[in-house]
Amino acid sequence: MFCWLSRLCRGLSTPTRRTTQLIWSSASRSLVLSSQRRIPELSSFVARTNTCGELRSSHLGQEVTLCGWIQFRRQNIFLVLRDFHGLVQVVIPQDESAASVKKILCEAPMESVVQVSGTVISRPPGQKNPKMPTGEIEIKVKTAKLLNSCKKLPFEIKDFMKKTEALRLQYRYLDLRSVQMQYNLRLRSQMVMKMREYLCNLHGFVDVETPTLFKRTPGGAKEFVIPSREPGKFYSLPQSPQQFKQLLMVGGLDRYFQVARCYRDEGSRPDRQPEFTQIDIEMSFVDQTGVQSLIEGLLQYSWPSDKDPVVVPFPSMPFAEALASYGTDKPDTRFGMKIVDISDMFRNTEVGFLQDALSKPQGTVKAICIRKGAKYFKRKDIESIRKFAADHFNEEVLPIFLKTSETWNSPVAKFIMEEQGLGLVKLLETQEEDVVLLTAGEHKKACSLMGKLRLECADLLEARGVVLRDPALFSFLWVVDFPLFLPKEENPQELESAHHPFTAPHPNDIHLLYTEPHKVRSQHYDLVLNGNEIGGGSIRIHNSEIQHYILATVLKEDVKLLSHLLQALDYGAPPHGGIALGLDRLMCLVTGAPSIRDVIAFPKSFRGHDLMSNAPDFIPPEELKPYHIQVSWPTDAETEKSSSNHPCLSES
Ligand code: ASP
């Protein structure tokens, strides 16, 4: 018997095939589990008695009515009907008296939607299909109705992998019929349901909707503006419900949550969407550990039952350590290859660029050791690593190949003194066939470069068959003790918030606010999963004076824009804190999807377009009049410049 899913699985490349197989078996398992728990009624209120995927031998003899799409037809004898729940084989009647039923079922094009009624019968001996959940039975059809015919499709629904993402987005409603998209959206819905249950039913949170027509918030991401009918006045779409959730605490709501839509006009960035969803949370009278424990419990409770259970508490790492050992604030802790500071060993070096770097005040030398790198890396890999460092960081990277544990092969081998070599072996615990990559420069920059190279090397090793990161492993990590402010990139003399301006300073550092603000740590925490930031939050400032001082004096923001919040803090605002989880990214990691667009029903393309409806679109000038705005059309030269500046010309 033809099996749609196993064929789909066979057609996929190795890693995806594995994921899809896992997904399919887990999808059917979780449906069974959830039906055992709650027995969802899948056919109430509608024109069917059963779903295609649910029929088994226990239904033998039952009269059923099914609705679904024609997935496959064989020799005008069998038809495979599909709905969201699965596939079922329908036997097309061959006798004269059922000629009209046969005509409907044989003439309807693939993907037409039909209703059939008939009896559940056992498949003849030898024709059972153990790979198909409904493979023991088939439907002996008595009546059939063509509910709607399907024209020639832009792509085959079965063939998930062989279409461009732009085409999938253009016909998203067809793409949603794929097993993968069905699985992703259904798992998302289940997890959100469990989160609601945990927050509202187990912990007394209140689900409150906050406005999406709001005003500009200073000191954060760039916001989308919405014209109003008052000349020169605009709304802004909130980058998050941050102000509202704090105001809800002032309003005594005590525990708030929302599946909140957020908007950020940050241009095209891989794996970002201009509108995205957060599980947004705020609590009164809470501290950092309180919020962290809540989130650990939330993830544990809502985690899909077919995955390894979430182990709590999650480990925690100070930001400074994350930067020093992993070169990033979102370390992937599933593998080692940590960055090691080897500055002390090279104080007397004769290697020019190391000498140069160490002569500067913040100069350091950093290294990572790639286990068995000499075995897996080719010369061109090392060259591309060095080119990456030069192009993106303007830094030199020195490779050292370890032939035997103490013989070095490197462009500068002769300059590496014996005790430096031995020191490297000891500090990096190098062994035969390892490759050491060295760089030098200011601490943060050198760490960031090494952090990027660490990930590049991990990808390269995995592409060569080394298993570094277990795909079934979910490694959660709290990153804490961030600085409250960072020097502005364009003007390092000025400070900006490391996260947002409502984050409270670390209680031990408050005095430094007035003297050395750049040294103040914050009460911010980020949640990282497998090297991706999936959430962040903080204890907030609830003292109006401190909030005013930070906005006006440290950040030099226009406090008038936030006068409502400052005033609210003066009227008995409780101490409070919260967090937001990025739902799209979380789901992307949980499902193993290649992009966050695969866990969003109707995402925008890489360039922020809706390829299905063509949004954003032009508006006739007369429709702009009520808003008192006019378009200033770019010149041809400007248009050309902006498209050539674009990092990626592909739509998706
Ligand atoms: N509103 C913050 C954000 O969107 C999260 C938080 O601080 O709760 O990043």
Side-chain angles (χ1 to χ4, degrees):
M1 165 64 205
F2 166 83
C3 176
W4 167 52
L5 284 156
S6 60
R7 217 181 84 157
L8 174 75
C9 294
R10 253 182 281 133
L12 303 179
S13 64
T14 315
T16 324
R17 176 163 65 225
R18 227 187 115 196
T19 324
T20 311
Q21 280 165 340
L22 285 174
I23 282 169
W24 180 248
S25 54
S26 64
S28 39
R29 193 158 58 231
S30 66
L31 279 170
V32 173
L33 286 178
S34 58
S35 65
Q36 280 165 353
R37 274 199 307 268
R38 286 189 300 271
I39 316 181
E41 184 43 85
L42 299 174
S43 296
S44 43
F45 315 115
V46 296
R48 65 168 180 249
T49 57
N50 297 82
T51 61
C52 296
E54 76 182 283
L55 298 172
R56 301 285 184 276
S57 289
S58 58
H59 296 88
L60 285 178
Q62 283 189 15
E63 295 298 315
V64 295
T65 298
L66 308 174
C67 296
W69 286 262
I70 301 177
Q71 170 82 19
F72 184 71
R73 187 165 37 225
R74 186 147 49 99
Q75 295 160 353
N76 286 351
I77 297 176
F78 296 112
L79 186 139
V80 174
L81 206 60
R82 183 196 77 234
D83 66 11
F84 71 93
H85 205 181
L87 305 169
V88 69
Q89 176 162 280
V90 167
V91 188
I92 304 174
Q94 302 296 320
D95 41 314
E96 250 331 282
S97 60
S100 62
V101 175
K102 183 174 180 186
K103 186 170 160 46
I104 290 172
L105 296 182
C106 291
E107 287 182 4
M110 289 300 109
E111 288 300 311
S112 295
V113 60
V114 294
Q115 184 189 52
V116 297
S117 295
T119 317
V120 182
I121 57 168
S122 188
R123 291 200 194 185
Q127 289 190 27
K128 302 204 162 148
N129 181 353
K131 289 198 197 124
M132 200 173 170
T134 62
E136 297 212 321
I137 59 101
E138 56 195 8
I139 310 297
K140 185 163 184 259
V141 173
K142 293 192 183 121
T143 61
K145 220 193 264 178
L146 176 65
L147 299 177
N148 212 346
S149 180
C150 179
K151 287 201 174 143
K152 184 168 169 18
L153 293 165
F155 52 79
E156 270 198 80
I157 303 299
K158 299 158 204 156
D159 208 354
F160 184 71
M161 293 308 286
K162 284 193 194 133
K163 46 197 181 280
T164 63
E165 199 186 10
L167 194 66
R168 288 176 54 204
L169 292 180
Q170 185 182 349
Y171 296 97
R172 189 58 154 184
Y173 45 87
L174 293 179
D175 186 44
L176 292 179
R177 291 185 194 170
S178 67
V179 182
Q180 192 72 59
M181 286 305 299
Q182 289 274 326
Y183 172 79
N184 292 354
L185 295 184
R186 284 168 196 281
L187 186 68
R188 179 176 173 135
S189 158
Q190 278 182 7
M191 276 187 77
V192 170
M193 188 66 218
K194 298 285 283 178
M195 288 181 181
R196 286 185 191 281
E197 227 173 78
Y198 178 84
L199 290 168
C200 294
N201 298 352
L202 300 188
H203 292 286
F205 279 74
V206 188
D207 181 353
V208 183
E209 288 162 78
T210 54
T212 50
L213 287 182
F214 192 42
K215 69 183 268 189
R216 195 154 69 83
T217 308
K222 221 159 165 222
E223 291 164 333
F224 285 100
V225 291
I226 309 284
S228 83
R229 285 169 189 264
E230 291 181 55
K233 287 198 174 175
F234 295 83
Y235 296 104
S236 285
L237 295 179
Q239 48 188 289
S240 81
Q242 185 62 38
Q243 289 187 50
F244 290 110
K245 65 175 174 174
Q246 292 193 233
L247 293 168
L248 287 170
M249 295 305 106
V250 183
L253 264 287
D254 195 73
R255 288 167 177 237
Y256 142 93
F257 105 96
Q258 181 180 191
V259 181
R261 189 53 65 87
C262 307
Y263 306 86
R264 293 183 194 173
D265 188 7
E266 292 181 324
S268 314
R269 291 222 222 147
D271 253 19
R272 295 258 175 128
Q273 284 279 300
E275 53 180 317
F276 59 96
T277 307
Q278 288 185 341
I279 303 293
D280 197 39
I281 289 172
E282 198 74 9
M283 296 162 93
S284 293
F285 315 112
V286 75
D287 64 9
Q288 182 159 327
T289 41
V291 177
Q292 289 178 341
S293 302
L294 172 87
I295 293 302
E296 288 164 358
L298 174 78
L299 287 165
Q300 202 171 37
Y301 187 85
S302 58
W303 203 245
S305 54
D306 60 306
K307 311 231 177 283
D308 287 349
V310 169
V311 179
V312 301
F314 302 153
S316 211
M317 186 185 291
F319 164 72
E321 184 187 333
L323 181 68
S325 300
Y326 298 91
T328 171
D329 57 357
K330 35 181 183 292
D332 189 341
T333 44
R334 287 173 299 173
F335 67 104
M337 218 195 281
K338 288 195 204 171
I339 304 166
V340 180
D341 190 301
I342 50 168
S343 313
D344 285 344
M345 242 177 307
F346 283 86
R347 297 268 170 232
N348 305 321
T349 185
E350 287 171 29
V351 183
F353 86 99
L354 300 181
Q355 223 175 35
D356 240 30
L358 286 173
S359 65
K360 299 198 177 118
Q362 304 280 319
T364 60
V365 182
K366 309 280 180 192
I368 53 172
C369 173
I370 305 150
R371 300 266 170 256
K372 300 279 168 225
K375 185 166 156 204
Y376 295 105
F377 283 6
K378 305 195 173 82
R379 179 168 294 278
K380 76 171 189 345
D381 297 326
I382 299 291
E383 278 324 302
S384 75
I385 285 171
R386 297 183 80 176
K387 186 167 174 341
F388 175 88
D391 293 351
H392 293 85
F393 286 79
N394 196 17
E395 290 282 1
E396 208 165 326
V397 168
L398 189 65
I400 304 175
F401 293 84
L402 215 57
K403 278 281 176 63
T404 62
S405 57
E406 281 162 32
T407 25
W408 302 90
N409 183 1
S410 164
V412 290
K414 60 175 183 291
F415 297 115
I416 296 182
M417 293 182 292
E418 198 186 337
E419 86 256 32
Q420 288 169 343
L422 289 174
L424 274 182
V425 172
K426 199 159 156 232
L427 256 186
L428 295 161
E429 294 174 358
T430 50
Q431 294 160 11
E432 220 167 295
E433 292 197 307
D434 287 355
V435 172
V436 174
L437 297 180
L438 282 189
T439 195
E442 183 268 322
H443 172 72
K444 189 161 173 261
K445 197 170 163 202
C447 287
S448 303
L449 167 59
M450 277 297 165
K452 290 257 162 38
L453 295 187
R454 175 179 174 266
L455 294 175
E456 286 284 314
C457 292
D459 287 348
L460 260 175
L461 286 174
E462 285 183 338
R464 305 270 147 83
V466 181
V467 181
L468 264 190
R469 294 167 284 200
D470 174 357
L473 188 74
F474 290 94
S475 176
F476 288 97
L477 174 76
W478 290 109
V479 179
V480 297
D481 286 344
F482 283 89
L484 188 57
F485 307 110
L486 290 173
K488 282 189 182 168
E489 233 169 75
E490 64 284 4
N491 179 5
Q493 301 312 315
E494 289 181 14
L495 293 175
E496 62 187 3
S497 300
H499 292 94
H500 56 60
F502 315 112
T503 309
H506 195 288
N508 299 345
D509 295 353
I510 292 188
H511 61 285
L512 295 172
L513 261 184
Y514 307 95
T515 50
E516 296 171 291
H518 57 281
K519 289 197 177 153
V520 178
R521 283 166 304 161
S522 74
Q523 294 193 65
H524 179 94
Y525 28 85
D526 267 352
L527 183 58
V528 174
L529 173 56
N530 294 353
N532 297 273
E533 185 195 323
I534 58 155
S538 54
I539 300 306
R540 325 294 185 190
I541 300 165
H542 64 277
N543 174 305
S544 167
E545 271 166 37
I546 297 183
Q547 183 69 80
H548 189 283
Y549 179 81
I550 286 179
L551 284 168
T553 312
V554 183
L555 300 174
K556 312 215 172 353
E557 292 287 0
D558 178 1
V559 277
K560 281 205 293 303
L561 284 170
L562 286 167
S563 55
H564 53 284
L565 184 80
L566 289 167
Q567 193 174 32
L569 295 184
D570 265 335
Y571 292 146
H576 59 285
I579 191 163
L581 297 183
L583 182 63
D584 309 301
R585 199 162 302 158
L586 174 65
M587 289 315 306
C588 182
L589 293 167
V590 172
T591 57
S595 140
I596 58 166
R597 294 183 291 275
D598 289 327
V599 295
I600 299 173
F602 297 101
K604 304 281 185 289
S605 72
F606 180 82
R607 297 168 87 171
H609 292 171
D610 173 359
L611 300 186
M612 189 176 61
S613 72
N614 261 329
D617 207 352
F618 298 107
I619 287 187
E622 61 278 14
E623 283 183 28
L624 285 178
K625 270 200 186 130
Y627 303 107
H628 313 276
I629 53 179
Q630 256 182 359
V631 176
S632 88
W633 295 99
T635 60
D636 287 351
E638 281 169 335
T639 313
E640 203 167 294
K641 190 165 165 235
S642 81
S643 57
S644 66
N645 278 343
H646 212 282
C648 174
L649 291 174
S650 116
E651 251 303 351
S652 53

